[in-house]
Amino acid sequence: MKDITEERYVDGKPKLRRFHQARWDEPIIFELSNEGERGILVPEVEEELKGSVGDVLSRIPGKMLRKKRPELPELSQPRVLRHYVRLSQETLGTDLNIDVGQGTCTMKYSPKVNEQIARMPQVAEIHPLQDEETVQGILEIMYKFEQILKEISGMDRFSLQPGGGSAAIYANASIIRAYHESRGEADQRDEIITTIFSHPSNAACARTAGFKVITLYPNEDGYPDIQALSAAVSERTAGLMITNPEDTGIFNPKIEEFVDIVHEAGGLCAYDQANANGILGITRARDAGFDLCQFNLHKTFSAPHGCGGPAAGAIGVADELGKFLPVPVIEFDGSKYRLNYDRPESIGKIRSFYGVVPVVLKAYAWVMSLGAEGLKEVAETAVLNNNYVLKKLLEVPGVSAPYAKGKRRIEQVRYSWEKLAVDTGVHSEEIGLRAADFGVHYWTSHHPWIVPEPCTIEPTESYSKSELDEYVQIIRNVSDEAYKNPELVKTAPHNSTIHRIDHAPLDDPSQWAVTWRAYRKKVKRDKAGE
Amino acid sequence: MKDITEERYVDGKPKLRRFHQARWDEPIIFELSNEGERGILVPEVEEELKGSVGDVLSRIPGKMLRKKRPELPELSQPRVLRHYVRLSQETLGTDLNIDVGQGTCTMKYSPKVNEQIARMPQVAEIHPLQDEETVQGILEIMYKFEQILKEISGMDRFSLQPGGGSAAIYANASIIRAYHESRGEADQRDEIITTIFSHPSNAACARTAGFKVITLYPNEDGYPDIQALSAAVSERTAGLMITNPEDTGIFNPKIEEFVDIVHEAGGLCAYDQANANGILGITRARDAGFDLCQFNLHKTFSAPHGCGGPAAGAIGVADELGKFLPVPVIEFDGSKYRLNYDRPESIGKIRSFYGVVPVVLKAYAWVMSLGAEGLKEVAETAVLNNNYVLKKLLEVPGVSAPYAKGKRRIEQVRYSWEKLAVDTGVHSEEIGLRAADFGVHYWTSHHPWIVPEPCTIEPTESYSKSELDEYVQIIRNVSDEAYKNPELVKTAPHNSTIHRIDHAPLDDPSQWAVTWRAYRKKVKRDKAGE
Amino acid sequence: MEDEKPTVYPYIPNSVPAVKKQMLKEVGAESVDNLFEDIPEKLRLKEKMNLPKPFVSECALRRHVEGILSKNKTCREYLNFLGAGCWQHYVPSVCDEINQRGEFLTAYAGEPYDDHGRFQALFEYASMMGELLDMDVVNVPTYDWFQAAATSIRMASRITGRREVLVSRTVSADKLSKIRDYCKPQIEAKLIDYDPETGQLDLDSLGAKVSSKTAAVYFENPSYLGFIEVNGDEISKVAHDHGAICIVGVDPISLGVLSPPIEYGADIVCGDLQPLGMHMQFGGGHAGFIATRDEEKYVMEYPSRLFGIAPTMVEGEYGFGDVAYERTSFALREEGKEFVGTAAALWGITAGVYLALMGPQGMLEIGKGIMQRSHYAMKEVSKIKGVRCPAFKSPHFKEFVVNFDGTGKAVREINKALLSHKIFGGKDLTKEFPELGNSALYCVTEVHTKADIDKLTEALKEVVG
Amino acid sequence: MEDEKPTVYPYIPNSVPAVKKQMLKEVGAESVDNLFEDIPEKLRLKEKMNLPKPFVSECALRRHVEGILSKNKTCREYLNFLGAGCWQHYVPSVCDEINQRGEFLTAYAGEPYDDHGRFQALFEYASMMGELLDMDVVNVPTYDWFQAAATSIRMASRITGRREVLVSRTVSADKLSKIRDYCKPQIEAKLIDYDPETGQLDLDSLGAKVSSKTAAVYFENPSYLGFIEVNGDEISKVAHDHGAICIVGVDPISLGVLSPPIEYGADIVCGDLQPLGMHMQFGGGHAGFIATRDEEKYVMEYPSRLFGIAPTMVEGEYGFGDVAYERTSFALREEGKEFVGTAAALWGITAGVYLALMGPQGMLEIGKGIMQRSHYAMKEVSKIKGVRCPAFKSPHFKEFVVNFDGTGKAVREINKALLSHKIFGGKDLTKEFPELGNSALYCVTEVHTKADIDKLTEALKEVVG
Ligand SMILES: Cc1ncc(COP(=O)(O)O)c(C=O)c1O
Ligand SMILES: Cc1ncc(COP(=O)(O)O)c(C=O)c1O
């Protein structure tokens, strides 16, 4: 028998947990198929109705009628359930782990009460085209939530339509374009300025909206470089799209000057507030002069991340840009809520209907459970937690926090394991895989890879000091192991659902397989010669 | 790194899964407490209301006012959630495993749709004393379900009040007592006859209701012994309380004669139909002459087992016993449902209010999804599955199916590993713990331990042939291991949440601890001397 | 393209005809019928059962059942002041989240290895209840308070070897009925009177009835009629003086503010978990607890399972298992203690979640808040002409008796009239406690706001006015 | 006994004052304010935000929010015939069970090790969609059909290097608006007319507009107006003949009976997953899919994530990971393909559950059943005086246009009148398609019974009569 007592380290509190993730070794669902099984029956059609309409399929012209049935798996209902419940256990949600290792993602607690409300028929079973009289409740919530966001950001108008943070950033780029178009300057003003530590979607959305992108790098102190900005602006400047605090957790103290410089050059300024968790009630976009901003309701506002959505973005703009917002907008005449489509200068539709309504509802409920003081408590505690973890982690051998040395951070910190890599040959990614052996996330996606051997930790307000201590202890332990027994770290994970993956095929067109059918054709058949 | 390829056996299909249960190594919840944390806030009291009533606590006489706050743990909401979600992952429900190893428990699929309906406010948020006009829906369901059970059992009247199968058996014992009381024979008729392979609750409930218990043993062929019955009955016989098929899976073919003999002696016959899954639509209690019966709605009727309840028992009786049923009974006058308490000969109350209503609802929905043909399909498939597993398991070295040799079984089979134990020294319980390493249950509670090295498998209708094959393959593999490497089996589990438990303290009054406070006093303090 | 096949049932994987055929072949049977060979032909049902036509699609089934249920009016739509053994308390979302997790919902009787989480959760439940009650032993839940009370009495009878129990007259008629049915063969239940002014258990009546035959004295706190029994000390002293056991039934949600009964002499404490995180469910949310000191003579008399903590082969790892399993009917059949079966474990886990969420501060605040609201309600209702409230001069917790004698209206009428205000009035006590006249038992909890109570008062005024 | 302490927030563990103090000490800060040193004083908010008073207890919060929501009327209470991009299909219970599991609900962007289940579920989703579509590559879902269509067009533009897209005129105005906004900087969208009799895309119009500048032809099947585009073959041929890509938008629930678009020449197929297990949620249940053949030139143009299967160190174990991650904006910022962000993965997993439950037989039956019902509805509605239905002479799937010109009543009026029958009538098309006159788009699915449809017909008769 394996002696797992070893695994509980005792050099400090709390002890490390002897973790093993659920491993169900579950086949691909197609491999479970048994011909003829049914997972659910569809509603029967009344004989009388059938008789009345005759053979409807015969009305489909031959070539439009499906000939070969789709080769979907055939499984009973309990087997489908079992498959997915098992897969769920192999997935590490925030409900399960001390989820501070996916820095910039704001993995906070998603209150269950809000989820339960969002699943009521009064939300789930309403159609977006129902008569407005019959959806006053949900319109009221959306309207009221816009008022809340106005107060939080200082902006004048909001739209809740975008389906995520990046979609919201894109919408803002689109509004900037519409603004310059309305002034006849669209052709001239085709440059968007951003910073390298602003989230990549700022650059990507700007480009997608047709702009050229100018990226500023930090100055020696690690702050966005104001000189570089002054050099970059011109009569071609359409706008500035920027995250603050940046993904490094550093707040740009010259943010107002940045805005002024861009304004002076005739550009608009859009504030990516996906990292707003640490500044709720502390500082506001409009007060720094921004013309547009966006929030991620699935991050700061506590809606769950759902394995990558449903998400929701909210965009806020200053009064003069209000007319460009997507249609429809929600209006209130003192007694009724209504949807107004009659907005000739609008950029139009960003997505189907009015936004990701259940996510908006959860965000509304979250704010209403906290109020102004509670939101400020969120920010203050998140920042305190972050600086606490910073203090503790910097005591761990091999890690550093580049840039803005000695300064406080806001919502997260981008660390570097450069020294550890040099000392031991263990890379940041490997640290993450070993951390997984203790039941926590530690993600490896830190584009741009400017900070060497990066690692971003964002504690948020949702974890207790003892849980933060546990996380730090895990990282300290992995660092110890890297120094003492690097092989152990380099072969991790050992206690996960699966073992080291060979990633090579995923970048090879002749081997990659995004579906089981492709895999069967390209890999299985090739191999087994079947 | 541990080579887990070994763990996937390839000598036959399906391959065994390389399983590991989630192991969170979660402390006892008190150990997680952080002073001052709150898991939920209770509704605030309006200042005006507070002012109006003054210091209410001062109205509690000194000695009745709590002085020391209860030492409950203090935890934030996400931490409470995380704790319990982790514990849930360390629990192997039917939703997760091929749950055929808890024979006699009828671990079938509990449809999710029924669960979702049962959690609607129309069920969850109704008070049992509401005006009958406002609960017509739930009364209708209970009433209709009684009609269904009447048809399934052939009985004339039903009560859904008992909180579980054993409570229902007790209620039947109580009705038998009331019946004899009503005839002035209560003192004389103080013996209940049962069989050793009837569920222990028959004997236990009869005794609790004040009867002496006579237990019949099987005859040489393994069937309940009719001669023994004839010898047992007398003018002292109050009744027969019997399971059929018995917990061995064997159906008593002389059941009608049993009933006749007891009737002739002046006793009543109560049929424990907890094992009814295999005989739905096949044979009925009343047709064999029984006067009373009971069903377990959390077994045959698909309601989930909930870690051991909420459960529900339904008792059915012949017309002449109807007057003894618990109060209230549900009546229907063609337009309204009402609760009738005016039943002077009733045994009275069995539990609070009217029964475990959500469980009844789930059972009703389950029947209504299947109908008469579907219920028969349940029985036939369950029995086919059982005989299939019987066939396959008997090919495994070391196992046998005692009694009624060569005969078919109904709902389950009680096997014996006597040969394996003799051959290898590995006991049934150890087989179960090794089976756990492959992610399945195999329970060890088979009282009475008359069958040596017992093991009871009940496939029900809920598992596909491939899942049954997988289960058999696991057992076959453990048997192989017992012969080749008994130590591996005897030290199992290896892939579970925890390791071999030292059970000795649990039977030692000086060491047992049913609460953390007792543990702290008796074990922790003693040990650590703290 | 082929048309619909004969029905295969989604819940019955092997209902696929081809699979069935193959399996029949494997077992050497011609048809499924062969497998029932042991069931005499005569007993075999010849026709199809006469059951309603099923709704085989989930969609149709749901519509059918929900259609029936839509006839119910809920306590979300109506303002509810009914209690009397089933109470409307707020159910924290996390309680439902945990008890609907498939793992807990569908587990049953697995081993302490594969079901470690179930054992730990139930051990923790017992441990938290232990803190609330200040007692060291708490059972895995039984069916409900009714059962817990009846079993507590039988435990006391076994411990003392005596066959008489004295029960407070203010216990509900239904619970008394259960106690009598369950104790009948062994134990006679005698009632102790109460003081008509205060409702308090009458110590003289107790003194007159207690004797060396008394196994136990059973009373409740708060009483069924809502007031607090303030003489717990004296009652238990009388019991103990006569070698009897003192059993107290208690509403656990009161224990943030009320003393745990062990403080005033209780030996066995029992009650219902429903207030701690269970929805009312038309009376389907009950679970009973029993608690005692950690003395062998008590422990060995529990019929329920008791989960204890135990070491494993690995240092620092906790294991769990059954304590003194050999006392149960599982082990000993009729020689076990009463009987044990599937009862209400999931509600035990849920109550644990509830207590973990509430913590000491939450339990204090909720108890106090309930008292503030119920006192406000009593005060306001008592202002209505012809209404006497509370009917008893005693401190109250969350329930109280309202007497309508002075209004000339029957409770039944009043309650019918309240319905049109979308209010469920208190439980009619006229049959259960005729001596209280035209009275009803009202319940006010933390779910009620001042506005709710004011609405009740206004409605009552209108109705009786 | 002490009284209530200052508020500690249940969602903010370290809001406990003592803990905060200790942590401040650890980080060497006097107050939390110090930690915001980088935020200029001038930008610091001086007052408390002016937000509504919160409902700090869960009980009060729930009552507040549910109170507002109770003003909505749901499609369970009313009979709903609205579709037009958001459809009322039956959501199997297992879909909700899986997507509310905390593990899936709260996971995000973990590694293929700790989030193995998420990767496998999404790989399986793509694989099942692949079978339904007969295509080898399917993305991790994007926001919705709008986005999927717009991105498909941009993919086509990048692949062909061309900057014009031809879009069927029967595409919804809203979707067209999205396409235009999203493609604006690069691609011009031109509309292809439809035949006023049949609704079918006008091949002459197509022929007139297609050219060597055409990157793609985009049309939908079934069309937004409900009929089936029967000339898929011809349309794709025209596109291909001009070196353009054929993009088809499709309602996946039709694919049990309708040919997968690849059969009639589609190169890129896109659509919405909402019908496959997502509640309508006032339009909050959308998710977009894009599918292509497994050709590098297509694969490399996806902006979305693509999850592929890969071996691990252990024989027979499956691993997963990102395919060609270096095309994404995560990796390349503005040099990546468009952009990628959090979209609708959970709905992808849910659609996978849906397809796994339905299987081939379920998809066939549901498609056929929907057609039977919608044809019955068309037949019955068409009998009403003054009503023309369907407005187009073409085969239909689940939606159809009803023209009310002959009734003298406006759709708006009719729909208002239907409300009093508890019916939501079809979408008013008068603004979107003025050329169709006084018309509405009705939707009938498997949730409708014959009785429902008859109820609609009766109500319509009364309303227009
Ligand atoms: C045959 C039989 N009778 C009675 C029972 C007891 O039912 P319960 O556990 O609901 O008390 C069981 C439970 O397994 C059983 O199998
Ligand atoms: C600062 C910032 N901006 C934008 C985004 C993109 O948001 P989404 O993932 O919702 O598209 C993120 C997401 O992590 C972010 O952290």
Side-chain angles (χ1 to χ4, degrees), chain A residues 65-251:
Chain A
L65 185 68
R66 185 162 196 137
K67 306 293 175 309
K68 221 172 95 307
R69 297 210 289 178
E71 287 186 40
L72 294 170
E74 299 178 65
L75 293 166
S76 72
Q77 186 166 124
R79 190 62 185 92
V80 172
L81 178 74
R82 214 151 21 244
H83 180 68
Y84 281 101
V85 174
R86 288 170 176 177
L87 294 187
S88 79
Q89 285 198 343
E90 296 174 347
T91 305
L92 197 58
T94 300
D95 282 0
L96 268 297
N97 85 112
I98 306 169
D99 216 348
V100 306
Q102 299 184 60
T104 78
C105 297
T106 316
M107 305 306 293
K108 55 163 60 179
Y109 176 52
S110 298
K112 289 296 164 195
V113 62
N114 302 345
E115 189 64 31
Q116 288 174 9
I117 296 171
R119 286 170 183 262
M120 291 170 58
Q122 284 74 19
V123 182
E125 300 293 346
I126 51 177
H127 191 285
L129 299 173
Q130 282 178 214
D131 189 287
E132 281 167 1
E133 291 293 325
T134 67
V135 290
Q136 287 293 305
I138 195 72
L139 291 177
E140 178 176 339
I141 285 188
M142 295 176 78
Y143 182 84
K144 286 188 165 160
F145 189 59
E146 287 183 4
Q147 311 318 306
I148 286 169
L149 291 180
K150 281 156 68 172
E151 178 64 17
I152 291 174
S153 64
M155 290 292 172
D156 301 313
R157 294 286 324 230
F158 261 84
S159 167
L160 307 173
Q161 197 170 120
S166 302
I169 294 172
Y170 180 83
N172 277 345
S174 195
I175 290 172
I176 294 174
R177 194 176 64 203
Y179 168 80
H180 292 303
E181 266 169 8
S182 77
R183 300 160 52 96
E185 298 190 341
D187 289 340
Q188 170 202 323
R189 296 198 174 268
D190 67 351
E191 289 177 359
I192 291 280
I193 301 167
T194 187
T195 67
I196 189 67
F197 285 124
S198 290
H199 189 275
S201 285
N202 292 284
C205 290
R207 167 71 70 89
T208 305
F211 295 105
K212 300 200 186 85
V213 175
I214 297 174
T215 302
L216 310 181
Y217 281 70
N219 67 15
E220 277 140 43
D221 304 331
Y223 290 103
D225 191 336
I226 199 160
Q227 260 99 43
L229 176 67
S230 298
V233 292
S234 75
E235 71 293 342
R236 305 206 66 79
T237 302
L240 175 73
M241 300 190 79
I242 195 169
T243 307
N244 193 28
E246 295 194 308
D247 281 0
T248 51
I250 297 169
F251 192 91

Side-chain angles (χ1 to χ4, degrees), chain A residues 104-105 164-167 169 199 201-202 243 247 272 274-275 294 296 298-299 311, chain D residues 108 143 340-342:
Chain A
T104 78
C105 297
S166 302
I169 294 172
H199 189 275
S201 285
N202 292 284
T243 307
D247 281 0
D272 169 359
N275 294 344
Q294 127 271 342
N296 288 12
H298 51 300
K299 293 178 181 171
Chain D
Y108 190 37
Y143 306 109
V340 59
T342 317

Side-chain angles (χ1 to χ4, degrees), chain A residues 52 69 127 174 256 377, chain D residues 20 42 86 181 361 379:
Chain A
S52 162
R69 297 210 289 178
H127 191 285
S174 195
E256 207 178 359
E377 183 78 28
Chain D
K20 237 176 171 166
K42 187 168 160 240
C86 179
D181 176 64
Q361 186 64 19
K379 192 171 161 185

Side-chain angles (χ1 to χ4, degrees), chain A residues 21 27 29 31 38-39 43-46 52-53 59 61 63-66 69 83 87-88 90-92 94-95 102 111 116 119 122-127 130-131 134 137-138 140 151 167 170 174 177 181 195-196 198 203 207-208 223 253 256 278 282-283 299 304 306-311 348-350 352 358 364 368 372-373 377 385 391-392 408 444 447 461 463 465 499-502 506-507 512-517 519 521-522, chain D residues 13-15 20 23 26-28 36-38 40 42-43 45 48-50 54-55 62 64 68 71-73 75 83 86 99 101-109 111 113-118 120 124 127 131-132 134-136 143-144 154 177-178 181 184 221 229-230 233-234 255 257 259 264 279-282 294 308-309 311-313 317-318 324 330 333-335 338 343-346 357 361 365 372-373 375 379 416 424 450:
Chain A
Q21 194 167 20
I29 195 159
E31 298 178 287
R38 300 290 301 267
E44 287 177 308
V45 180
E46 297 87 346
S52 162
V53 297
R59 307 201 192 163
K63 61 185 168 189
M64 301 310 287
L65 185 68
R66 185 162 196 137
R69 297 210 289 178
H83 180 68
L87 294 187
S88 79
E90 296 174 347
T91 305
L92 197 58
T94 300
D95 282 0
Q102 299 184 60
Q116 288 174 9
R119 286 170 183 262
Q122 284 74 19
V123 182
E125 300 293 346
I126 51 177
H127 191 285
Q130 282 178 214
D131 189 287
T134 67
I138 195 72
E140 178 176 339
E151 178 64 17
Y170 180 83
S174 195
R177 194 176 64 203
E181 266 169 8
T195 67
I196 189 67
S198 290
R207 167 71 70 89
T208 305
Y223 290 103
E256 207 178 359
I282 305 288
T283 183
K299 293 178 181 171
C307 283
K349 292 296 295 177
I350 289 298
S352 318
Y364 172 77
M368 289 307 293
E373 285 177 35
E377 183 78 28
N385 287 349
K391 165 85 179 347
K392 293 287 171 185
R408 306 293 184 183
T444 52
H447 299 282
E461 76 283 8
Y463 304 90
K465 179 176 169 301
H499 301 78
R500 280 272 165 144
I501 296 166
D502 172 10
L506 300 172
D507 285 314
W512 71 37
V514 173
T515 54
W516 184 242
R517 53 195 274 131
Y519 179 73
K521 288 182 209 166
K522 292 166 79 170
Chain D
N14 292 340
S15 60
K20 237 176 171 166
M23 291 175 76
E26 290 262 13
V27 303
F36 295 104
E37 62 187 10
D38 260 350
K42 187 168 160 240
L43 294 183
L45 198 58
K48 208 171 87 172
M49 290 184 289
N50 180 18
F55 299 88
R62 187 169 213 145
H64 163 72
I68 298 177
K71 297 173 196 166
N72 295 339
K73 304 277 176 249
C75 294
C86 179
N99 68 32
R101 295 264 314 162
E103 292 91 334
F104 282 143
L105 184 67
T106 67
Y108 190 37
E111 300 301 308
Y113 302 92
D114 33 45
D115 275 3
H116 178 75
R118 169 170 71 93
Q120 181 165 343
E124 292 179 345
S127 298
E131 296 301 335
L132 196 63
D134 225 347
M135 286 184 125
D136 286 353
Y143 306 109
D144 61 0
R154 288 192 75 142
S177 164
K178 163 75 187 188
D181 176 64
K184 194 171 206 175
N221 220 349
E229 288 281 5
V230 299
D233 261 352
E234 286 89 333
L255 291 177
V257 293
S259 285
Y264 48 86
H279 296 276
M280 295 175 289
Q281 301 169 82
F282 204 51
D294 186 7
I309 191 166
T312 77
M313 293 166 67
E317 201 174 68
Y318 298 121
F330 285 151
R333 299 176 74 87
E334 70 270 23
E335 299 305 326
E338 304 169 38
L346 194 63
L357 287 168
Q361 186 64 19
E365 289 177 13
Q372 287 168 321
R373 291 177 178 87
H375 281 74
K379 192 171 161 185
K416 278 280 175 207
F424 298 135
K450 179 173 174 299

Side-chain angles (χ1 to χ4, degrees), chain D residues 205-223:
Chain D
S205 168
L206 173 63
K209 285 176 182 158
V210 74
S211 74
S212 62
K213 284 198 260 171
T214 309
V217 176
Y218 175 80
F219 69 99
E220 296 178 349
N221 220 349
S223 73

Side-chain angles (χ1 to χ4, degrees), chain A residues 349-405:
Chain A
K349 292 296 295 177
I350 289 298
R351 90 172 243 125
S352 318
F353 306 107
Y354 329 118
V356 189
V357 174
V359 177
V360 172
L361 176 77
K362 291 174 214 179
Y364 172 77
W366 183 75
V367 170
M368 289 307 293
S369 75
L370 290 163
E373 285 177 35
L375 290 187
K376 198 170 175 199
E377 183 78 28
V378 164
E380 291 184 347
T381 311
V383 174
L384 177 57
N385 287 349
N386 189 41
N387 284 282
Y388 176 77
V389 170
L390 173 64
K391 165 85 179 347
K392 293 287 171 185
L393 269 184
L394 289 183
E395 294 165 7
V396 173
V399 76
S400 66
Y403 304 120
K405 285 264 173 315

Side-chain angles (χ1 to χ4, degrees), chain C residues 101-273:
Chain C
R101 295 266 312 165
E103 292 90 334
F104 282 143
L105 185 66
T106 68
Y108 190 36
E111 300 301 308
Y113 302 93
D114 33 45
D115 275 3
H116 177 76
R118 170 170 70 92
F119 278 87
Q120 181 165 343
L122 283 164
F123 173 80
E124 291 179 345
Y125 150 72
S127 299
M128 287 185 272
M129 278 302 285
E131 297 301 335
L132 196 62
L133 297 165
D134 223 348
M135 287 183 124
D136 285 353
V137 177
V138 180
N139 66 336
V140 175
T142 181
Y143 306 109
D144 60 359
W145 190 348
F146 283 24
Q147 183 66 51
T151 284
S152 295
I153 291 167
R154 288 192 74 141
M155 286 171 66
S157 166
R158 288 195 294 275
I159 292 168
T160 58
R162 300 175 179 184
R163 290 165 161 269
E164 223 176 77
V165 61
L166 304 182
V167 178
S168 156
R169 259 278 287 129
T170 54
V171 160
S172 89
D174 281 357
K175 194 182 286 148
L176 191 61
S177 164
K178 163 75 187 187
I179 290 172
R180 288 206 152 121
D181 177 65
Y182 195 74
C183 295
K184 193 171 205 174
Q186 318 281 2
I187 306 156
E188 193 190 347
K190 294 188 171 165
L191 299 183
I192 321 169
D193 292 335
Y194 62 89
D195 180 310
E197 276 283 295
T198 62
Q200 299 292 320
L201 184 139
D202 182 340
L203 291 169
D204 293 341
S205 168
L206 173 63
K209 285 175 181 157
V210 72
S211 75
S212 61
K213 285 196 260 170
T214 309
V217 176
Y218 175 80
F219 69 98
E220 296 178 349
N221 219 349
S223 73
Y224 173 66
L225 297 176
F227 57 81
I228 298 168
E229 288 281 5
V230 299
N231 302 316
D233 260 351
E234 286 89 333
I235 301 168
S236 67
K237 188 164 182 316
V238 173
H240 292 159
D241 285 351
H242 291 79
I245 282 173
C246 177
I247 307 175
V248 177
V250 70
D251 176 351
I253 211 164
S254 69
L255 292 178
V257 294
L258 298 191
S259 285
I262 194 172
E263 290 270 328
Y264 48 87
D267 304 294
I268 305 181
V269 180
C270 63
D272 211 302
L273 297 176

